[in-house]
């Protein structure tokens, strides 16, 4: 079970989705808590945004957003950025300062799968952004975007 | 909140004695708190006391003043292990000097028996004479600081006694005292937190630990008291004897730690540190981990405090050994002194410890924060390790608070950007100078602890099951975490923790834990979730911005619940309103109804409650039930103000359109009469999911002086959920307005709330405006009752009149002012006919200038002369009748005239100087039948062929004869007149001085009449018509161009002026033969068409460019005799050839004879040819039958022969 959000530049949710199955669903109290966890993780994301070195120990797989310019590695994916009790939180930062944050209900972040999920969602987001009728920070109400993200999550996470 | 140096704070309970007001009491406590730091040097020495201040005069006693006692009993099990958790001092603040000190102290002792020292501070005791005791102090006699020093002295004395009582007691671990009631630390992720401990003890496995447990458990409270007693004595022996027995050593070490803790409280930091170090050394040796951890924490507290006192100290060797300082010297040693530090060995009081090889470190050589962190880590490490024991375990509260103290320390170092005196001040007096320490986020790289490091450390808290702890501990933990996150500038994290805190509080039934200060926490929550400062109901920018509304809504719900939990209904009402006002779209119907009915409406009498929707009224308009004519504002002297004749004004084709709009505006604006009742239609909106009932609708005071609600039926005044609804309210107008009155809104009461003014929000704000909504106001003009004019009758039958063309008639109109309140003193009459209404608005655009002159002159005449009114009275009194005469003049009326409407605009002018008056209008229609009398069926002009020699009786011949000398100056105008009237008509013509004889025509008879007219060229003042513009009657109509060439224009001017010349002179007056009274005139303009070229050439001199002279050899010939015509063309032009054309016409019919069959004349065959100018050219013609021919020759496009040649063939 996952709770995925795209957060705009002024802490506003652009897109929210829960990827659950019939067996694996968030308990009602956790379901209510998820947005709060994501919101509090923004502090960490904003911290990592300006770091060159991966200082956060939870953040094992990736470093800060501002990594060395000699590194050719992609740096948008920030890996596991936060945790709260049994929940892990992973993050991805676009170059337009849009934050992708996901609460992993299983408490672990599979970097390979999560990274590819984020990059594919990023591509979908960029396509949305190219729509002349879409403005940055507007909620994404396009059902095509939603269904594509859900298909992606089923392919990668379930 | 857990302070970094919590172990050194003396817990002091402050209680009010006497009758205090809350504010005064809190102020007194505040003042006391300002004296919470007492220097030992100021305290009177206590020579025989363990805690004699003289032993360490630099030291301080730091008080922590509490105003309520939370956990004195629940934390009893910790009093051996962490003695500082005990309540030591109780201070009574007494404002009643009459209460005796002894009684007071006894009372305090009875109530708070667990404390060791008591004091009563009186505000003023000067009037009471009582034997002074060492517990009573009066602020009027000595300053508070001195009092506190005395209290400190008492405290130290009592502490000595307290310590003495411990000398004979075996100190037990909290787990042993509290038994199963003590919450053991539960880590959710135990596996990852601890690495294998590099300790010989760990190798021994669980068998040893269980053995150790059993030894400890023997000390548990359930044990036999005798056994317990023997153990205690043995421990006493251990302290004095120095035996190698492990339990003796444990007892000794624990006693040492207790002493060190008490010394810490008593301000003797150096001694305390040494004792802690010694205790740690022994405890480490005997593997008493929980006490070892606590001792290490004691050492770090001492280090911080000594640093605060800026005294030199040496790091105890045990720290050196346990924390492996030598291996991590790079990080711990300060960079400047790292090279020499290791060699700088200073003798420690306990440096004989064999296990420690390295020398003690001086404080100047070390990086104290790093060292503190290292020690704290180690302490936590030992606490962690103790968790595997069943009795000697670390209780969760100890574990948590250890983490919190470290976190506070790290975050304060981060906030202060270093470990200097400012940071120390903040650590020790956390609530005193928080503003002094500036947060320097930008310099975080250079900080001792990085943000991520601190955050990482804080997540340890969330590895514990905090839910299972008691509420007060939870509150402390969460509040401390809030402070830490605040120091780190992680405001979202802080809010998150605050939310958890509130949820925890809500889950408990008691509400005794949070003080009133939770308001600031709520404010923080509101701010961080961007609820406060976001005003979509006022600011357009906010309304169009996106927010995390689900979060905001949930937070507000939580705040409402927490406020309700603490029975703070003011907040409940305030936030419930906020929630409904800004987040109604996210709330369900049930939630909205609950908020309204549970939280808002029940408290509306106690707290200010406003209806939540700021845009209640969406529109107001008025409608009349009766279609009565309303007066219209008419501006007088309008004509004067207009500037039509301004030569600089550019023609504005839209002027008429503008004018029209203005008229409509006057018609549509809200004009009402005093005492009139109209319907006011109010449109309300209800964005909520519950029905909104309207209790009252009223005008504001300003509006109420002009109008009032006439009938208000509020029984059905409920706006259904999520809809707009219109209500009709009867309004009566009371007073007239001086100017335009703006109705800006109404005072409306909804849901039983007090009435409030609501503006009219007709249009929501647009994105280019700043305002959320553009407030609209309804313009209203209320005027006094106006007079009413009634039509009574006319002297006409059925308002119909039949007129003979060219005559005049007069009739009377009878009217009455039926108003009972207002006379009429302004009257203006205007009229309109079907001729004007049938014309298109732009009729003039397609007319040539000469035609337009005809039309316009006719309209002008209709406007000015058609009707004339006489005898209108200046003032018509109330209920008075009057009449006026109307003269209809149809002398020049067009035959299309069918009806006329006479409109009387009337009103009452309050003073003659008024520039405007409200007018009503009354229209009287008159049907007109215009009967033709004399008609002109044809008009022709002929030259005078020959001189009239013979005398004649005919009038015109007579006239010509009298002008014989200039006969050639005349032409004859032949007019065919017809009498269309039923009766014979006699008439006469006038042209200049010529007056014809009276002629008569019977009914339907047509006859030709001759009028001699003088050629225009012969008038002395004959102008050059070509240069004379065709006049424009209506100056407002301008032409950019007439679309004609110069030649065409000149031709038109000639024709026009010639016609005008004739029409102006030609008159005909008639009268019916039978009735002398019927007389009229003929308007020739209607009958005389535009003149053609031939006529022009007759009556107007040709241009002198060409001059054609024609002469015939003979003018009277026999048939078959040829005639020679000599044609000479003179011209001023230099040209070789001139084209000419000739016409041979039948003299009588005027028709061309060239195409006759059989031929009546033979000619050259061509009707046009070229001739040389100034040379006579000959043409021959041969008449073939008897006839009279007229021959005309012209230069095409220019002129005709002035006099045609007439040849008579006999």
């Amino acid at each position: 079970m996952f709770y995925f959000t795209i957060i705009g530049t002024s802490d506003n949710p652009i897109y929210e989705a829960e990827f659950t199955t019939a067996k694996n669903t968030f308990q009602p109290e956790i379901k209510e808590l998820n947005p709060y966890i994501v919101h509090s993780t923004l502090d960490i994301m904003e911290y990592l945004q300006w770091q060159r070195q991966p200082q956060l120990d939870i953040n094992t797989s990736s470093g800060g957003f501002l990594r060395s310019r000699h590194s050719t590695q992609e740096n948008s994916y920030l890996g596991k950025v936060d945790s709260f009790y049994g929940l892990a939180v992973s993050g991805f930062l676009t170059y337009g300062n849009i934050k992708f944050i996901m609460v992993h209900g299983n408490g672990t972040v599979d970097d390979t799968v999560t990274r590819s999920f984020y990059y594919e969602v990023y591509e979908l987001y960029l396509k949305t952004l190219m729509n002349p009728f879409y403005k940055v920070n507007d909620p994404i109400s396009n059902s095509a975007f939603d269904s594509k993200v859900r298909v992606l999550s089923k392919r990668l996470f379930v | 909140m857990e302070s970094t140096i919590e172990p050194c704070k003396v817990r002091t309970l402050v209680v009010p004695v006497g009758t205090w007001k809350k504010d005064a009491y809190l102020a007194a406590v505040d003042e006391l708190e300002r004296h919470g730091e007492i220097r030992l040097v100021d305290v009177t020495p206590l020579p025989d006391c363990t805690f004699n201040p003289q032993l360490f005069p630099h030291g301080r006693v730091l008080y922590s003043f509490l105003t309520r006692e939370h956990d004195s009993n629940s934390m009893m099990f910790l009093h051996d292990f962490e003695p500082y958790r005990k309540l030591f001092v109780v201070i009574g603040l007494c404002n009643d000097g009459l209460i005796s000190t002894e009684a007071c102290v006894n009372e305090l002792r009875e109530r708070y028996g667990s404390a060791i020292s008591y004091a009563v501070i009186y505000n003023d005791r000067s009037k009471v004479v009582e034997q002074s005791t060492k517990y009573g102090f009066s602020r009027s006699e000595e300053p508070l600081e001195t009092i506190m020093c005395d209290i400190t002295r008492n405290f130290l004395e009592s502490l000595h006694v307290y310590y003495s009582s411990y000398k004979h007691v075996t100190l037990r671990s909290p787990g042993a005292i509290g038994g199963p009631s003590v919450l053991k630390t539960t880590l959710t992720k135990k596996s990852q937190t601890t690495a294998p401990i590099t300790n010989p003890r760990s190798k021994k496995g669980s068998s040893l630990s269980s053995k150790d447990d059993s030894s400890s458990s023997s000390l548990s409270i359930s044990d036999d008291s005798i056994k317990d007693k023997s153990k205690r004595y043995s421990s006493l022996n251990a302290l004095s004897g120095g035996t190698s027995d492990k339990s003796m050593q444990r007892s000794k070490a624990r006693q040492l730690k207790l002493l060190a803790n008490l010394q810490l409280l008593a301000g003797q930091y150096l001694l305390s540190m040494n004792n802690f170090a010694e205790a740690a050394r022994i405890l480490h040796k005997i593997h008493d981990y929980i006490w070892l951890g606590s001792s290490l924490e004691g050492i770090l507290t001492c280090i911080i405090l000594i640093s605060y006192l800026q005294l030199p100290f040496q790091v105890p060797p045990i720290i050196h050994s346990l924390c492996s300082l030598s291996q991590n010297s790079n990080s711990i040693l300060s960079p400047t002194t790292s090279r020499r530090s290791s060699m700088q060995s200073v003798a420690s009081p306990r440096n004989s410890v064999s296990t420690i090889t390295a020398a003690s470190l001086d404080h100047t050589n070390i990086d104290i924060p790093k060292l503190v962190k290292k020690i704290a880590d180690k302490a936590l490490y030992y606490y962690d390790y103790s968790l595997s024991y069943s009795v000697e375990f670390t209780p969760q509260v100890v574990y948590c608070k250890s983490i919190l103290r470290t976190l506070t320390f790290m975050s304060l170092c981060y906030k202060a950007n270093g470990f200097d005196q400012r940071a120390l001040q903040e650590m020790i007096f956390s609530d005193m100078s928080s503003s002094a320490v500036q947060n320097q986020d930008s310099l975080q790289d250079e900080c001792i602890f990085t943000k991520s490091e601190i955050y990482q450390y804080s997540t340890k808290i969330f590895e514990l099951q905090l839910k299972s702890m008691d509420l007060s501990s939870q509150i402390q933990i969460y509040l401390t975490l809030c402070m830490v996150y605040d120091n780190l500038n992680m405001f979202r994290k802080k809010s998150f923790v605050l939310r958890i805190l509130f949820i925890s509080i809500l889950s408990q039934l008691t509400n005794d834990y949070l003080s009133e200060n939770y308001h600031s926490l709520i404010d923080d929550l509101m701010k961080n979730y961007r609820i406060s400062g976001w005003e979509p109901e006022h600011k357009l920018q906010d309304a169009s911005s996106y927010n995390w509304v689900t979060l905001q809504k949930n937070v507000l719900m939580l705040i409402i619940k927490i406020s309700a939990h603490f029975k703070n209904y003011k907040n409940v009402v305030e936030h419930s309103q906020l929630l409904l006002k800004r987040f109604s779209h996210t709330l369900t119907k049930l939630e909205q109804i609950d908020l309204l009915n549970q939280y808002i409406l029940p408290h509306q009498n106690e707290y200010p409650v406003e209806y939540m929707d700021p845009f209640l009224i969406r529109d107001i308009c008025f409608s009349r039930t009766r279609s009565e004519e309303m007066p219209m504002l008419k501006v007088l002297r309008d004509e004067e103000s207009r500037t039509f004749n301004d030569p600089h004004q550019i023609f504005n084709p839209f002027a008429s359109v503008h004018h029209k709009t203005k008229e409509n505006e006057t018609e549509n604006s809200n004009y009402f009469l005093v005492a009139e009742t109209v319907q006011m239609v109010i449109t309300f909106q209800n964005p909520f999911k519950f029905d909104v009932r309207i209790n009252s609708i009223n005008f504001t005071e300003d509006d109420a002086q002009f109008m009032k609600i006439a009938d208000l039926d509020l029984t059905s005044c409920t706006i259904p959920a999520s809809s707009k609804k219109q209500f009709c309210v009867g309004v009566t107008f009371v007073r007239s307005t001086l100017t335009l009155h703006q109705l800006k809104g109404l005072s409306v009461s909804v849901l039983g709330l007090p009435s409030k003014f609501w503006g009219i929000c007709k249009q929501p704000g647009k994105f280019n405006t700043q305002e959320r909504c553009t407030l609209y106001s309804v313009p209203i003009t209320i005027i006094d009752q106006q007079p009413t004019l009634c039509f009574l009758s006319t002297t006409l039958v059925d308002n119909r009149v039949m007129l003979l063309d060219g005559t005049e008639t007069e009739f009377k109109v009878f009217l009455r002012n039926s108003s009972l309140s207002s006379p009429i003193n302004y009257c203006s009459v205007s009229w309109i006919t079907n001729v004007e209404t049938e014309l298109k608005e732009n009729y003039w655009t397609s007319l040539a200038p000469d035609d337009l002159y005809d039309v316009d002159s006719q309209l002008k005449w209709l406007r000015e002369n058609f009707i004339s009114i006489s005898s209108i009275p200046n003032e018509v009194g109330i209920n008075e009748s009057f009449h006026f005469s109307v003269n209809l003049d149809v002398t020049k009326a067009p035959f299309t005239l069918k009806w006329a409407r006479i409109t009387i605009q009337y009103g009452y002018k309050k003073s003659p100087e008024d520039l405007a008056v409200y007018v009503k209008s009354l229209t009287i229609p008159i049907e007109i039948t215009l009967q033709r009398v004399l008609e002109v069926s044809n008009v022709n002009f002929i030259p005078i062929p020959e001189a009239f020699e013979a005398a004649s009786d005919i009038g015109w011949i007579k006239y010509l004869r009298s002008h014989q000398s200039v006969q050639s100056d005349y032409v004859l105008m032949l007019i065919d007149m017809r009498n269309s009237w039923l009766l014979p008509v006699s008439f006469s013509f006038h042209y200049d001085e010529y007056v014809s004889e009276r002629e008569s025509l019977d009914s339907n008879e047509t006859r030709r009449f001759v009028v001699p007219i003088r050629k225009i060229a012969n008038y002395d003042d004959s102008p050059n018509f070509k240069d004379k513009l065709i006049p424009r009657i209506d100056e407002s109509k301008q032409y950019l161009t007439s679309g004609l060439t110069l030649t065409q224009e000149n031709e038109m001017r000639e024709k026009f002026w010639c016609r005008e010349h004739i029409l102006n002179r030609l008159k005909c007056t008639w009268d019916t033969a039978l009735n002398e009274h019927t007389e009229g005139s003929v308007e020739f303009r209607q009958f005389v068409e535009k003149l053609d070229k031939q006529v022009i050439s007759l009556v107007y001199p040709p241009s002198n460019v060409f001059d054609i002279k024609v002469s015939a050899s003979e003018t009277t010939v026999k048939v078959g005799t040829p005639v020679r015509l000599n044609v000479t063309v003179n011209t001023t032009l230099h040209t070789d050839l001139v084209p000419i054309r000739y016409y041979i016409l039948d003299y009588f019919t005027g028709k061309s004879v060239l195409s006759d069959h059989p031929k009546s004349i033979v000619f050259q065959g061509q009707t046009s040819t070229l001739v040389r100018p100034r040379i006579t050219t000959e043409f021959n013609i041969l008449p073939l039958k008897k006839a009279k021919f007229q021959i005309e020759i012209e230069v095409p496009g220019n002129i005709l022969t002035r006099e045609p040649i007439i040849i008579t063939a006999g």
Side-chain angles (χ1 to χ4, degrees), chain B residues 508 553 561 681 705 714 920 1018 1145:
Chain B
Q508 304 279 330
K553 173 207 142 190
K561 279 182 189 160
V681 184
Q705 53 183 325
L714 286 169
K920 284 160 105 174
N1018 298 321
L1145 311 170

Side-chain angles (χ1 to χ4, degrees), chain B residues 257-514:
Chain B
K257 187 194 157 276
L258 176 80
L259 175 64
N261 268 128
L262 297 181
Q263 280 170 332
L264 196 57
L265 291 173
Q268 297 172 355
Y269 305 138
L270 278 177
L271 285 174
S272 168
M273 184 161 73
N274 289 337
N275 284 334
F276 273 130
E278 179 58 19
R281 189 187 63 77
I282 302 167
L283 290 167
H284 179 249
K285 205 166 148 190
I286 59 169
H287 312 303
D288 193 355
Y289 295 117
I290 167 172
W291 289 78
L292 172 59
S294 185
S295 303
L296 290 177
E297 281 200 295
I299 292 172
L300 76 84
T301 312
C302 289
I303 290 174
I304 294 169
L305 286 164
I306 296 168
S307 304
Y308 168 62
L309 297 179
Q310 292 177 309
L311 293 174
F313 70 94
Q314 284 159 347
V315 179
I318 182 70
I319 297 297
H320 199 276
S321 146
L322 288 180
C323 302
S324 317
L325 291 190
S326 55
Q327 287 158 20
N328 294 311
S329 56
N330 281 342
S331 61
I332 301 292
L333 300 177
S334 63
T336 51
T337 56
S338 60
R339 296 193 178 185
R340 55 190 172 88
S341 61
S342 58
M343 291 299 109
Q344 203 170 26
S345 93
V346 178
S348 164
R350 304 279 173 186
N351 64 356
S352 59
V353 179
S354 60
T355 51
I356 297 163
T357 52
S360 299
L361 286 168
D362 190 72
H363 77 285
T364 51
N365 300 333
I366 47 175
D367 188 354
I368 291 174
K370 292 275 184 201
L371 177 69
V372 168
K373 171 76 187 349
K374 198 90 184 167
I375 297 171
D377 281 350
K378 204 69 192 172
L380 200 66
Y381 169 81
Y382 285 119
Y383 284 146
D384 255 349
Y385 194 70
S386 76
L387 298 184
S388 54
Y389 298 97
S390 59
V391 174
E392 297 288 321
F393 62 84
T394 312
Q396 183 147 310
V397 60
V398 174
Y399 190 89
C400 273
K401 291 195 171 173
S402 168
I403 294 175
L404 292 180
R405 280 196 293 274
T406 317
L407 267 180
T408 316
F409 173 77
M410 290 164 82
S411 71
L412 286 174
C413 285
Y414 174 84
K415 190 179 175 189
N417 198 27
F419 185 71
D420 51 10
Q421 204 60 20
R422 281 186 313 151
L424 285 162
Q425 284 272 354
E426 173 84 348
M427 281 173 207
I428 290 159
F429 311 104
S430 53
D431 48 0
M432 277 179 70
S433 57
S434 56
S435 60
V437 179
Q438 295 293 318
N439 210 323
Q440 297 174 14
D441 211 16
S442 56
L443 298 171
Q444 54 175 307
D445 286 348
E446 297 159 23
C447 278
I448 305 158
F449 305 109
T450 61
K451 203 173 185 173
S452 65
E453 195 179 351
I454 303 168
Y455 175 69
Q456 182 59 27
Y457 201 85
S458 75
T459 53
K460 281 179 192 287
I461 289 285
F462 292 113
E463 287 165 12
L464 301 167
Q465 281 300 341
L466 300 176
K467 265 188 186 173
S468 46
M469 296 177 76
D470 64 318
L471 185 60
S472 80
S473 304
Q474 282 190 51
I475 291 171
Q476 281 201 4
I477 290 165
Y478 290 131
L479 287 180
T480 313
L481 267 182
C482 282
M483 190 202 73
V484 169
Y485 288 139
D486 191 76
N487 289 345
L488 293 180
N489 282 345
M490 296 172 114
F491 299 113
R492 298 185 190 95
K493 281 278 172 201
K494 180 186 172 185
S495 310
F496 182 53
V497 173
L498 273 178
R499 183 191 165 270
I500 302 174
L501 168 68
F502 284 154
I503 297 268
S504 310
I505 291 172
L506 281 180
S507 64
Q508 304 279 330
L509 289 175
T510 59
N511 54 11
D512 195 29
Y513 292 103
L514 269 189

Side-chain angles (χ1 to χ4, degrees), chain A residues 3 5 7 9-13 16 29 32-44 46-47 50-52 55-59 80-85 99 136-139, chain B residues 188-189 444-445 450-453 455-456 459 461-467 478 489-496 499-500 503 528-530 546-555 558:
Chain A
Y3 170 70
T5 49
I7 310 290
T9 51
S10 51
D11 288 13
N12 55 315
E16 285 179 273
E29 63 267 23
E32 198 195 327
L33 197 64
N34 277 334
Y36 289 98
I37 295 175
V38 168
H39 183 260
S40 73
T41 303
L42 289 174
D43 270 335
I44 310 296
E46 281 179 7
Y47 171 75
W50 302 103
Q51 300 308 305
R52 289 193 188 84
Q55 292 289 328
L56 207 64
D57 290 344
I58 335 173
N59 188 28
K80 183 179 175 185
V81 289
D82 203 356
S83 63
F84 181 72
Y85 286 106
K99 293 151 193 125
V136 178
N137 276 346
D138 280 2
Chain B
T188 49
K189 290 187 288 178
Q444 54 175 307
D445 286 348
T450 61
K451 203 173 185 173
S452 65
E453 195 179 351
Y455 175 69
Q456 182 59 27
T459 53
I461 289 285
F462 292 113
E463 287 165 12
L464 301 167
Q465 281 300 341
L466 300 176
K467 265 188 186 173
Y478 290 131
N489 282 345
M490 296 172 114
F491 299 113
R492 298 185 190 95
K493 281 278 172 201
K494 180 186 172 185
S495 310
F496 182 53
R499 183 191 165 270
I500 302 174
I503 297 268
N528 291 339
Y529 283 109
R530 301 189 184 198
Y546 293 107
N547 264 301
W548 207 329
V549 282
T550 41
L551 276 190
Q552 292 174 327
K553 173 207 142 190
N554 287 340
V555 166
L558 180 68

Side-chain angles (χ1 to χ4, degrees), chain B residues 132-233:
Chain B
S132 65
T133 65
K134 66 180 204 175
Y135 301 115
F137 307 95
S138 171
R139 291 187 55 189
S140 59
E141 290 164 17
E142 47 191 343
L144 195 57
E145 197 172 353
T146 320
I147 295 172
M148 283 309 295
C149 287
D150 290 342
I151 290 173
T152 308
R153 186 173 184 276
N154 290 347
F155 162 65
L156 293 177
E157 215 167 15
S158 310
L159 197 63
H160 172 74
V161 178
Y162 181 65
Y163 173 62
S164 314
S165 69
Y166 264 102
K167 280 183 179 167
H168 308 288
V169 176
T170 304
L171 295 170
R172 290 173 298 167
S173 297
I177 299 171
S181 65
V182 178
L183 181 67
K184 191 174 177 180
T185 309
T186 326
L187 292 171
T188 49
K189 290 187 288 178
K190 204 164 181 179
S191 57
Q192 66 178 49
T193 51
T194 51
I197 209 159
T198 52
N199 194 304
R201 176 68 188 268
S202 63
K203 292 170 188 165
K204 291 179 183 172
S206 60
S207 61
L208 189 63
S209 67
S210 61
K211 189 187 167 191
D212 191 72
D213 280 351
S214 64
S215 69
S216 300
S217 65
S218 66
L219 300 175
S220 69
I221 205 154
S222 58
D223 276 2
D224 191 351
S225 60
I226 303 163
K227 202 175 177 181
D228 191 17
K229 205 173 179 183
S230 68
K231 284 275 179 190
R232 286 184 177 218
Y233 280 121

Side-chain angles (χ1 to χ4, degrees), chain B residues 735-782:
Chain B
R735 223 180 82 188
S736 61
T737 53
L738 291 175
T739 53
L740 201 66
H741 181 75
Q742 299 285 357
L743 177 64
K744 289 181 178 153
L746 292 173
S747 169
V748 181
S749 157
V750 285
L751 296 170
L753 303 171
S755 276
K756 198 197 147 193
F757 174 79
W758 302 92
I760 308 163
C761 311
K762 205 167 181 178
Q763 291 286 328
K766 289 178 184 153
F767 282 91
N768 52 2
T769 55
Q770 289 294 315
E771 291 297 314
R772 176 76 176 82
C773 143
T774 336
L775 285 180
Y776 169 78
S777 57
V778 187
I780 289 176
T781 311
I782 307 167

Side-chain angles (χ1 to χ4, degrees), chain B residues 557-624:
Chain B
M557 291 282 252
L558 180 68
I559 290 173
I560 291 165
K561 279 182 189 160
I562 201 89
S563 300
H565 185 78
F566 288 112
K567 297 193 171 49
N568 184 344
Y569 295 111
K570 183 169 177 281
N571 259 14
V572 169
V573 171
E574 196 178 303
H575 288 112
S576 300
Q577 287 183 76
L578 203 66
L579 191 56
L580 272 180
K581 195 185 277 180
R582 295 181 190 163
F583 301 97
S584 59
H585 56 294
T586 62
L587 297 167
T588 61
K589 184 181 180 183
L590 205 64
E591 283 172 330
Q592 293 197 2
I593 293 173
D594 274 359
L595 279 173
L596 184 75
N597 294 334
Q598 282 185 19
Y599 294 130
I600 298 178
L601 292 184
H603 305 290
Q604 56 167 305
N605 295 330
E606 303 139 51
Y607 306 107
V609 175
E610 269 184 14
Y611 180 61
M612 288 67 68
D613 175 27
F615 312 122
L616 177 67
I617 300 178
R618 293 304 299 266
D619 194 10
I620 292 180
C621 60
F622 291 89
S623 73
R624 276 202 175 78

